[in-house]
Amino acid sequence: MCAVVGVFDSPRASKLAYYGLFAMQHRGQEATGITTSENEKLHTIKGKGLVTEVFDEEAFNVLRGDMAVGHNRYSTAGDDSILDAQPVFARYSLGEISVVHNGNLVNKNEVRQDLIDKGAIFQSFMDTENIIHLIAKSKKESLQDRIMETIDRIKGAYNLLIQSRSKMFVIRDRYGVRPLSMAKLPDGGYMIASETCAFDLVGAEFIRDVRPGEMLIFEKGQEPTSIQFGEPDFRPCAFEYIYFARPDSVIDGKNVYETRLKMGEILAKEQPCDVDLVLPVPDSGVASAKGYAKGLGVPFEMGIVRNHYVGRTFIEPTQEIRDLKVKLKLSPIQNLIKGKRIAIVDDSLVRGTTANQIVKMLKDAGAKEVHMRLASPQIKHPCRYGIDTPSYEELISANMSLEQICQKVQADSLGFLSIDGLVESLGKDQNYSLVSFDGNYFID
Ligand code: 5GP
Ligand code: MG
Protein backbone atom coordinates (compact mmCIF):
# COMPACT_ATOMS: atom_id res chain seq x y z
CA MET A 1 0.00 0.00 0.00
CA CYS A 2 0.90 3.67 -0.22
CA ALA A 3 1.86 5.63 -3.28
CA VAL A 4 4.98 7.65 -3.97
CA VAL A 5 5.56 10.25 -6.67
CA GLY A 6 8.55 12.34 -7.65
CA VAL A 7 8.86 15.23 -10.12
CA PHE A 8 12.20 16.56 -11.23
CA ASP A 9 12.97 19.71 -13.18
CA SER A 10 9.53 21.10 -13.97
CA PRO A 11 8.10 24.55 -13.28
CA ARG A 12 4.82 22.76 -12.46
CA ALA A 13 6.42 20.30 -10.02
CA SER A 14 3.84 20.55 -7.22
CA LYS A 15 0.85 20.41 -9.58
CA LEU A 16 2.24 17.37 -11.38
CA ALA A 17 2.93 15.64 -8.07
CA TYR A 18 -0.65 16.45 -7.04
CA TYR A 19 -2.11 14.95 -10.23
CA GLY A 20 0.09 11.89 -9.78
CA LEU A 21 -1.16 11.42 -6.23
CA PHE A 22 -4.74 11.94 -7.37
CA ALA A 23 -4.34 9.17 -9.99
CA MET A 24 -2.95 6.91 -7.24
CA GLN A 25 -5.53 7.72 -4.58
CA HIS A 26 -6.56 4.04 -4.51
CA ARG A 27 -3.18 3.19 -2.94
CA GLY A 28 -3.95 5.17 0.20
CA GLN A 29 -6.69 7.46 1.51
CA GLU A 30 -5.56 8.12 5.05
CA ALA A 31 -3.19 11.04 4.52
CA THR A 32 -1.26 12.76 1.77
CA GLY A 33 1.60 15.21 1.39
CA ILE A 34 4.03 16.93 -0.94
CA THR A 35 7.46 18.50 -0.40
CA THR A 36 8.89 20.82 -3.03
CA SER A 37 12.41 22.13 -3.33
CA GLU A 38 12.96 25.80 -4.15
CA ASN A 39 16.59 26.92 -4.35
CA GLU A 40 17.70 26.90 -0.73
CA LYS A 41 14.47 25.76 0.88
CA LEU A 42 12.12 22.81 1.08
CA HIS A 43 8.37 23.40 1.48
CA THR A 44 6.01 20.74 2.85
CA ILE A 45 2.23 20.49 3.02
CA LYS A 46 0.67 17.33 4.41
CA GLY A 47 -2.51 16.34 6.16
CA LYS A 48 -5.10 13.71 6.80
CA GLY A 49 -7.66 13.09 4.10
CA LEU A 50 -7.89 12.75 0.35
CA VAL A 51 -5.63 14.47 -2.14
CA THR A 52 -8.42 16.84 -3.22
CA GLU A 53 -9.13 17.72 0.43
CA VAL A 54 -5.57 18.44 1.56
CA PHE A 55 -4.34 20.59 -1.35
CA ASP A 56 -6.00 23.85 -2.30
CA GLU A 57 -4.79 26.97 -4.13
CA GLU A 58 -3.13 28.23 -0.99
CA ALA A 59 -1.14 25.02 -0.72
CA PHE A 60 0.21 25.50 -4.22
CA ASN A 61 1.30 29.03 -3.33
CA VAL A 62 3.46 27.46 -0.64
CA LEU A 63 4.69 24.54 -2.75
CA ARG A 64 7.05 26.48 -4.99
CA GLY A 65 10.05 25.02 -6.76
CA ASP A 66 10.85 22.75 -9.66
CA MET A 67 11.25 19.47 -7.75
CA ALA A 68 8.70 17.57 -5.67
CA VAL A 69 8.12 14.33 -3.83
CA GLY A 70 4.68 13.18 -2.69
CA HIS A 71 2.96 10.38 -0.83
CA ASN A 72 -0.46 8.84 -0.20
CA ARG A 73 -0.75 6.94 3.03
CA TYR A 74 -2.83 3.80 3.44
CA SER A 75 -4.40 3.39 6.84
CA THR A 76 -3.14 0.30 8.61
CA ALA A 77 -3.89 -1.17 12.00
CA GLY A 78 -1.24 1.15 13.44
CA ASP A 79 -1.40 4.80 14.27
CA ASP A 80 -3.47 7.12 12.13
CA SER A 81 -2.05 10.31 13.61
CA ILE A 82 -1.01 13.25 11.44
CA LEU A 83 2.55 12.54 12.59
CA ASP A 84 2.40 9.39 10.46
CA ALA A 85 1.74 11.38 7.30
CA GLN A 86 4.54 11.69 4.75
CA PRO A 87 6.81 13.21 3.43
CA VAL A 88 9.02 13.05 6.51
CA PHE A 89 11.01 16.28 6.58
CA ALA A 90 14.14 17.09 8.58
CA ARG A 91 16.90 19.65 8.96
CA TYR A 92 20.26 18.06 9.65
CA SER A 93 23.96 18.74 9.30
CA LEU A 94 23.94 18.77 5.49
CA GLY A 95 20.83 20.92 5.13
CA GLU A 96 17.27 19.79 4.56
CA ILE A 97 15.78 16.55 3.29
CA SER A 98 12.38 15.06 2.75
CA VAL A 99 11.66 11.35 2.41
CA VAL A 100 8.72 9.36 1.07
CA HIS A 101 8.53 5.60 1.39
CA ASN A 102 6.37 2.78 0.09
CA GLY A 103 6.95 -0.66 1.53
CA ASN A 104 7.75 -2.19 4.84
CA LEU A 105 11.05 -2.60 6.66
CA VAL A 106 11.24 -5.97 8.37
CA ASN A 107 14.01 -4.97 10.82
CA LYS A 108 12.41 -1.68 11.85
CA ASN A 109 12.09 -2.51 15.56
CA GLU A 110 15.68 -3.62 15.85
CA VAL A 111 17.00 -0.50 14.08
CA ARG A 112 14.70 1.78 16.04
CA GLN A 113 15.74 0.31 19.41
CA ASP A 114 19.37 0.75 18.48
CA LEU A 115 18.75 4.40 17.56
CA ILE A 116 16.78 5.00 20.77
CA ASP A 117 19.56 3.42 22.84
CA LYS A 118 21.91 5.95 21.26
CA GLY A 119 19.65 8.84 22.24
CA ALA A 120 17.44 9.38 19.21
CA ILE A 121 13.88 10.57 19.77
CA PHE A 122 10.94 9.64 17.53
CA GLN A 123 7.74 11.45 16.69
CA SER A 124 5.89 8.70 14.86
CA PHE A 125 5.55 4.95 14.56
CA MET A 126 6.70 4.92 10.95
CA ASP A 127 9.72 2.94 9.80
CA THR A 128 10.40 5.89 7.49
CA GLU A 129 11.57 7.89 10.49
CA ASN A 130 14.34 5.31 11.02
CA ILE A 131 15.66 6.17 7.59
CA ILE A 132 15.88 9.87 8.25
CA HIS A 133 17.69 9.25 11.56
CA LEU A 134 20.18 6.90 9.94
CA ILE A 135 20.94 9.52 7.27
CA ALA A 136 21.28 12.30 9.84
CA LYS A 137 23.56 10.31 12.15
CA SER A 138 25.87 9.02 9.44
CA LYS A 139 29.41 10.38 9.52
CA LYS A 140 29.81 10.26 5.74
CA GLU A 141 30.37 13.54 3.98
CA SER A 142 27.94 13.37 1.09
CA LEU A 143 24.22 12.68 1.21
CA GLN A 144 24.70 9.97 -1.40
CA ASP A 145 27.20 8.12 0.80
CA ARG A 146 24.92 8.52 3.80
CA ILE A 147 22.03 7.03 1.86
CA MET A 148 24.25 4.12 0.79
CA GLU A 149 25.19 3.49 4.42
CA THR A 150 21.51 3.67 5.41
CA ILE A 151 20.52 1.13 2.75
CA ASP A 152 23.02 -1.28 4.29
CA ARG A 153 21.19 -1.04 7.62
CA ILE A 154 17.61 -1.52 6.45
CA LYS A 155 16.00 -4.76 5.34
CA GLY A 156 12.67 -5.30 3.65
CA ALA A 157 10.59 -3.94 0.84
CA TYR A 158 11.09 -0.28 0.11
CA ASN A 159 10.71 2.29 -2.61
CA LEU A 160 12.29 5.49 -1.38
CA LEU A 161 12.35 8.98 -2.79
CA ILE A 162 14.75 11.27 -0.96
CA GLN A 163 14.82 14.94 -1.89
CA SER A 164 17.45 17.45 -0.83
CA ARG A 165 17.64 21.08 -1.88
CA SER A 166 19.29 20.24 -5.19
CA LYS A 167 18.92 16.49 -5.77
CA MET A 168 16.46 13.67 -5.82
CA PHE A 169 17.43 10.08 -5.02
CA VAL A 170 15.15 7.27 -6.17
CA ILE A 171 15.69 3.84 -4.63
CA ARG A 172 14.01 0.47 -5.25
CA ASP A 173 15.06 -2.40 -2.97
CA ARG A 174 16.89 -5.34 -4.49
CA TYR A 175 13.75 -7.51 -4.48
CA GLY A 176 11.68 -4.88 -6.29
CA VAL A 177 8.62 -6.02 -4.34
CA ARG A 178 6.66 -2.81 -4.81
CA PRO A 179 6.30 -1.24 -8.26
CA LEU A 180 8.17 1.92 -9.32
CA SER A 181 8.46 3.47 -12.78
CA MET A 182 10.09 6.43 -14.49
CA ALA A 183 8.74 8.73 -17.21
CA LYS A 184 9.74 11.80 -19.18
CA LEU A 185 7.55 14.89 -18.79
CA PRO A 186 6.18 16.63 -21.87
CA ASP A 187 8.02 19.87 -21.00
CA GLY A 188 11.31 18.13 -20.16
CA GLY A 189 12.03 16.87 -16.69
CA TYR A 190 11.20 13.50 -15.15
CA MET A 191 8.45 11.86 -13.18
CA ILE A 192 8.69 8.83 -10.89
CA ALA A 193 5.59 7.02 -9.67
CA SER A 194 4.41 3.84 -7.98
CA GLU A 195 2.05 3.24 -10.89
CA THR A 196 2.00 4.24 -14.54
CA CYS A 197 -1.60 5.54 -14.28
CA ALA A 198 0.02 8.66 -12.77
CA PHE A 199 1.95 9.25 -16.03
CA ASP A 200 -1.11 8.79 -18.20
CA LEU A 201 -2.97 11.56 -16.40
CA VAL A 202 -0.28 14.20 -17.01
CA GLY A 203 0.84 13.02 -20.44
CA ALA A 204 4.26 11.84 -19.23
CA GLU A 205 5.96 9.27 -21.40
CA PHE A 206 6.92 6.00 -19.70
CA ILE A 207 10.66 5.32 -19.99
CA ARG A 208 11.18 2.19 -17.90
CA ASP A 209 10.71 0.60 -14.50
CA VAL A 210 13.27 1.40 -11.83
CA ARG A 211 15.34 -1.77 -11.49
CA PRO A 212 15.50 -3.82 -8.31
CA GLY A 213 18.59 -2.74 -6.39
CA GLU A 214 18.91 0.49 -8.38
CA MET A 215 19.48 4.03 -7.17
CA LEU A 216 18.74 6.87 -9.60
CA ILE A 217 20.20 10.28 -8.89
CA PHE A 218 18.62 13.38 -10.39
CA GLU A 219 20.72 16.51 -10.20
CA LYS A 220 20.14 19.92 -11.75
CA GLY A 221 21.68 20.42 -15.16
CA GLN A 222 22.68 16.77 -15.51
CA GLU A 223 21.29 13.61 -17.00
CA PRO A 224 20.10 11.16 -14.31
CA THR A 225 22.73 8.68 -13.17
CA SER A 226 22.12 5.10 -12.10
CA ILE A 227 23.93 3.05 -9.47
CA GLN A 228 23.30 -0.65 -8.92
CA PHE A 229 23.68 -0.80 -5.13
CA GLY A 230 22.33 -4.29 -4.51
CA GLU A 231 22.34 -7.66 -6.22
CA PRO A 232 18.90 -7.95 -7.88
CA ASP A 233 16.69 -10.82 -6.70
CA PHE A 234 13.47 -9.69 -8.38
CA ARG A 235 10.32 -10.69 -6.42
CA PRO A 236 7.47 -8.50 -7.70
CA CYS A 237 4.35 -8.67 -5.52
CA ALA A 238 1.54 -10.78 -7.02
CA PHE A 239 -1.03 -8.92 -4.91
CA GLU A 240 -0.42 -5.72 -6.90
CA TYR A 241 -1.89 -7.53 -9.90
CA ILE A 242 -4.64 -9.31 -7.97
CA TYR A 243 -6.05 -6.39 -6.06
CA PHE A 244 -3.96 -3.40 -5.31
CA ALA A 245 -2.95 -1.65 -8.53
CA ARG A 246 -5.27 0.20 -10.87
CA PRO A 247 -6.34 -1.85 -13.91
CA ASP A 248 -4.94 0.67 -16.40
CA SER A 249 -1.45 0.55 -14.89
CA VAL A 250 1.38 -1.43 -16.43
CA ILE A 251 3.59 -2.97 -13.78
CA ASP A 252 6.95 -4.39 -14.77
CA GLY A 253 5.77 -4.86 -18.33
CA LYS A 254 2.31 -6.29 -17.66
CA ASN A 255 -1.03 -4.53 -17.83
CA VAL A 256 -2.92 -5.15 -14.61
CA TYR A 257 -6.37 -5.52 -16.25
CA GLU A 258 -5.10 -8.17 -18.65
CA THR A 259 -3.54 -10.23 -15.86
CA ARG A 260 -6.88 -10.11 -14.00
CA LEU A 261 -8.79 -11.31 -17.08
CA LYS A 262 -6.33 -14.18 -17.30
CA MET A 263 -6.77 -15.04 -13.62
CA GLY A 264 -10.52 -15.31 -14.27
CA GLU A 265 -10.07 -17.46 -17.35
CA ILE A 266 -7.77 -19.88 -15.57
CA LEU A 267 -10.13 -19.92 -12.58
CA ALA A 268 -12.88 -21.06 -14.98
CA LYS A 269 -10.72 -24.00 -16.02
CA GLU A 270 -9.77 -24.92 -12.46
CA GLN A 271 -13.09 -24.23 -10.71
CA PRO A 272 -15.92 -24.39 -13.26
CA CYS A 273 -19.60 -24.40 -12.27
CA ASP A 274 -22.92 -24.84 -13.97
CA VAL A 275 -24.60 -21.43 -13.75
CA ASP A 276 -26.80 -19.03 -15.71
CA LEU A 277 -24.90 -15.84 -14.94
CA VAL A 278 -21.53 -14.58 -13.73
CA LEU A 279 -21.46 -11.44 -11.56
CA PRO A 280 -18.48 -9.53 -10.13
CA VAL A 281 -18.15 -8.06 -6.67
CA PRO A 282 -17.60 -4.45 -7.79
CA ASP A 283 -15.12 -2.96 -8.33
CA SER A 284 -12.29 -5.28 -7.37
CA GLY A 285 -13.80 -8.41 -8.96
CA VAL A 286 -14.85 -6.94 -12.31
CA ALA A 287 -11.92 -7.90 -14.56
CA SER A 288 -11.49 -11.41 -13.17
CA ALA A 289 -15.27 -12.04 -13.31
CA LYS A 290 -15.19 -11.04 -16.96
CA GLY A 291 -12.42 -13.57 -17.56
CA TYR A 292 -14.32 -16.21 -15.61
CA ALA A 293 -17.52 -15.68 -17.65
CA LYS A 294 -15.52 -15.85 -20.87
CA GLY A 295 -13.83 -19.05 -19.72
CA LEU A 296 -17.18 -20.66 -18.85
CA GLY A 297 -18.99 -19.30 -21.89
CA VAL A 298 -21.71 -17.89 -19.61
CA PRO A 299 -23.17 -14.32 -19.71
CA PHE A 300 -21.51 -11.66 -17.55
CA GLU A 301 -23.66 -8.99 -15.91
CA MET A 302 -22.95 -6.07 -13.59
CA GLY A 303 -25.65 -7.49 -11.34
CA ILE A 304 -24.55 -5.63 -8.23
CA VAL A 305 -24.50 -1.84 -8.21
CA ARG A 306 -21.93 0.01 -6.20
CA ASN A 307 -22.57 3.35 -4.56
CA HIS A 308 -19.34 5.31 -4.96
CA TYR A 309 -20.21 7.96 -2.42
CA VAL A 310 -19.74 5.84 0.68
CA GLY A 311 -16.73 7.65 2.11
CA ARG A 312 -14.84 7.59 5.32
CA THR A 313 -17.11 10.31 6.64
CA PHE A 314 -20.24 8.18 6.65
CA ILE A 315 -21.46 7.62 10.17
CA GLU A 316 -21.01 3.94 10.99
CA PRO A 317 -24.29 2.18 11.60
CA THR A 318 -24.76 0.72 15.03
CA GLN A 319 -24.25 -2.94 15.80
CA GLU A 320 -27.93 -3.88 15.39
CA ILE A 321 -28.07 -2.58 11.84
CA ARG A 322 -24.71 -3.92 10.71
CA ASP A 323 -26.44 -5.39 7.72
CA LEU A 324 -26.97 -1.90 6.43
CA LYS A 325 -23.25 -1.38 6.08
CA VAL A 326 -22.78 -3.55 3.01
CA LYS A 327 -26.11 -2.38 1.57
CA LEU A 328 -24.93 1.20 1.71
CA LYS A 329 -22.17 0.25 -0.67
CA LEU A 330 -23.56 -2.62 -2.74
CA SER A 331 -27.04 -3.31 -4.02
CA PRO A 332 -28.25 -6.24 -6.18
CA ILE A 333 -30.38 -5.88 -9.32
CA GLN A 334 -33.22 -8.21 -8.36
CA ASN A 335 -34.70 -8.56 -11.85
CA LEU A 336 -31.43 -10.05 -13.09
CA ILE A 337 -30.84 -12.33 -10.15
CA LYS A 338 -34.23 -13.80 -9.21
CA GLY A 339 -34.48 -17.53 -9.88
CA LYS A 340 -30.99 -17.75 -11.40
CA ARG A 341 -27.98 -19.88 -10.63
CA ILE A 342 -25.20 -17.38 -10.05
CA ALA A 343 -21.42 -17.44 -9.90
CA ILE A 344 -20.09 -14.46 -7.98
CA VAL A 345 -16.42 -13.57 -8.44
CA ASP A 346 -14.21 -11.47 -6.17
CA ASP A 347 -10.47 -10.88 -6.32
CA SER A 348 -9.66 -12.23 -2.87
CA LEU A 349 -10.97 -13.53 0.42
CA VAL A 350 -9.31 -11.98 3.46
CA ARG A 351 -11.48 -12.12 6.59
CA GLY A 352 -14.49 -13.47 4.73
CA THR A 353 -16.74 -10.57 5.64
CA THR A 354 -17.50 -9.42 2.10
CA ALA A 355 -18.24 -12.94 0.81
CA ASN A 356 -20.57 -13.63 3.68
CA GLN A 357 -22.63 -10.49 3.08
CA ILE A 358 -22.67 -10.81 -0.70
CA VAL A 359 -23.95 -14.39 -0.68
CA LYS A 360 -26.72 -13.43 1.72
CA MET A 361 -27.59 -10.41 -0.41
CA LEU A 362 -27.89 -12.53 -3.56
CA LYS A 363 -29.99 -15.18 -1.81
CA ASP A 364 -32.26 -12.47 -0.42
CA ALA A 365 -32.61 -11.16 -3.98
CA GLY A 366 -33.95 -14.56 -5.02
CA ALA A 367 -30.89 -16.34 -6.46
CA LYS A 368 -31.51 -20.09 -6.77
CA GLU A 369 -27.86 -20.99 -6.24
CA VAL A 370 -24.81 -18.88 -5.36
CA HIS A 371 -21.34 -20.17 -6.22
CA MET A 372 -18.51 -18.09 -4.80
CA ARG A 373 -15.27 -17.89 -6.80
CA LEU A 374 -12.05 -16.12 -5.84
CA ALA A 375 -9.52 -15.08 -8.48
CA SER A 376 -6.58 -15.61 -6.12
CA PRO A 377 -5.36 -18.48 -3.94
CA GLN A 378 -6.26 -18.81 -0.27
CA ILE A 379 -4.52 -16.16 1.84
CA LYS A 380 -2.94 -18.22 4.58
CA HIS A 381 -0.13 -15.93 5.72
CA PRO A 382 0.15 -12.22 6.57
CA CYS A 383 2.26 -10.19 4.15
CA ARG A 384 5.19 -8.44 5.80
CA TYR A 385 6.29 -6.48 2.76
CA GLY A 386 3.72 -3.74 2.51
CA ILE A 387 0.26 -5.20 1.90
CA ASP A 388 -2.25 -4.73 4.69
CA THR A 389 -3.26 -8.33 5.29
CA PRO A 390 -4.24 -8.97 8.89
CA SER A 391 -2.66 -11.37 11.39
CA TYR A 392 -3.05 -15.17 11.28
CA GLU A 393 -6.00 -15.03 13.71
CA GLU A 394 -8.05 -12.87 11.36
CA LEU A 395 -7.23 -14.61 8.07
CA ILE A 396 -10.15 -16.94 7.46
CA SER A 397 -8.14 -19.29 5.21
CA ALA A 398 -5.46 -19.68 7.88
CA ASN A 399 -8.05 -21.00 10.32
CA MET A 400 -10.72 -22.88 8.38
CA SER A 401 -10.90 -25.61 5.77
CA LEU A 402 -12.47 -24.94 2.39
CA GLU A 403 -15.64 -26.77 3.51
CA GLN A 404 -15.86 -24.77 6.71
CA ILE A 405 -15.47 -21.48 4.87
CA CYS A 406 -18.09 -22.49 2.30
CA GLN A 407 -20.48 -23.30 5.11
CA LYS A 408 -19.73 -20.08 6.95
CA VAL A 409 -20.39 -17.88 3.92
CA GLN A 410 -23.42 -20.05 3.06
CA ALA A 411 -22.46 -20.48 -0.59
CA ASP A 412 -23.53 -23.51 -2.63
CA SER A 413 -19.90 -23.99 -3.61
CA LEU A 414 -16.59 -22.20 -3.11
CA GLY A 415 -13.49 -22.25 -5.29
CA PHE A 416 -10.13 -20.49 -5.33
CA LEU A 417 -7.52 -20.01 -8.04
CA SER A 418 -4.53 -22.28 -7.39
CA ILE A 419 -1.03 -20.90 -6.82
CA ASP A 420 0.06 -22.51 -10.11
CA GLY A 421 -2.94 -20.92 -11.84
CA LEU A 422 -1.97 -17.51 -10.46
CA VAL A 423 1.61 -17.89 -11.64
CA GLU A 424 0.36 -19.01 -15.05
CA SER A 425 -1.84 -15.93 -15.37
CA LEU A 426 1.04 -13.61 -14.46
CA GLY A 427 3.52 -15.39 -16.72
CA LYS A 428 6.31 -17.67 -15.67
CA ASP A 429 9.05 -15.17 -16.55
CA GLN A 430 9.27 -13.76 -13.00
CA ASN A 431 9.73 -15.20 -9.57
CA TYR A 432 6.69 -13.51 -7.99
CA SER A 433 6.34 -12.73 -4.31
CA LEU A 434 3.57 -15.10 -3.18
CA VAL A 435 4.08 -14.69 0.56
CA SER A 436 0.38 -14.44 1.46
CA PHE A 437 -0.29 -17.76 -0.28
CA ASP A 438 2.81 -19.89 0.28
CA GLY A 439 4.32 -18.32 3.40
CA ASN A 440 7.74 -18.08 1.77
CA TYR A 441 9.18 -15.08 3.60
CA PHE A 442 12.17 -14.63 1.31
CA ILE A 443 13.47 -11.54 3.15
CA ASP A 444 14.59 -12.90 6.55
P1 5GP B 1 -12.83 -9.76 3.33
O1 5GP B 1 -14.18 -9.16 3.27
O2 5GP B 1 -12.78 -11.22 3.00
O3 5GP B 1 -12.11 -9.43 4.61
O4 5GP B 1 -11.94 -9.02 2.23
C1 5GP B 1 -12.13 -9.29 0.88
C2 5GP B 1 -12.33 -8.01 0.14
O5 5GP B 1 -11.33 -7.08 0.52
C3 5GP B 1 -12.23 -8.21 -1.35
O6 5GP B 1 -13.36 -7.62 -1.95
C4 5GP B 1 -10.97 -7.46 -1.76
O7 5GP B 1 -11.19 -6.71 -2.94
C5 5GP B 1 -10.68 -6.56 -0.62
N1 5GP B 1 -9.24 -6.49 -0.31
C6 5GP B 1 -8.26 -7.37 -0.56
N2 5GP B 1 -7.07 -6.93 -0.11
C7 5GP B 1 -7.29 -5.72 0.44
C8 5GP B 1 -6.45 -4.74 1.07
O8 5GP B 1 -5.23 -4.89 1.20
N3 5GP B 1 -7.08 -3.61 1.49
C9 5GP B 1 -8.42 -3.41 1.34
N4 5GP B 1 -8.97 -2.28 1.77
N5 5GP B 1 -9.23 -4.29 0.77
C10 5GP B 1 -8.68 -5.44 0.32
MG1 MG C 1 -13.23 -5.76 -3.02
Side-chain angles (χ1 to χ4, degrees), residues 293-363:
K294 185 175 168 220
L296 287 187
V298 164
F300 166 92
E301 294 287 355
M302 291 292 293
I304 299 173
V305 176
R306 177 169 162 188
N307 185 329
H308 286 265
Y309 304 95
V310 182
R312 291 158 300 112
T313 48
F314 206 94
I315 299 157
E316 291 272 307
T318 57
Q319 197 66 32
E320 309 89 75
I321 47 165
R322 253 217 131 73
D323 226 26
L324 185 65
K325 198 171 170 181
V326 66
K327 285 187 189 158
L328 286 172
K329 191 168 164 188
L330 301 172
S331 178
I333 302 173
Q334 287 199 21
N335 303 46
L336 276 181
I337 291 162
K338 202 161 180 207
K340 301 269 175 55
R341 297 168 305 163
I342 301 229
I344 174 90
V345 183
D346 203 357
D347 66 291
S348 59
L349 192 74
V350 184
R351 294 177 179 85
T353 325
T354 311
N356 203 352
Q357 292 167 331
I358 291 273
V359 173
K360 181 171 187 303
M361 175 184 281
L362 293 173
K363 291 257 164 113

Side-chain angles (χ1 to χ4, degrees), residues 54-74:
V54 171
F55 302 103
D56 51 16
E57 273 315 307
E58 204 178 319
F60 292 111
N61 291 335
V62 173
L63 294 171
R64 298 178 305 270
D66 56 9
M67 240 203 293
V69 293
H71 187 267
N72 285 339
R73 176 172 165 78
Y74 185 101

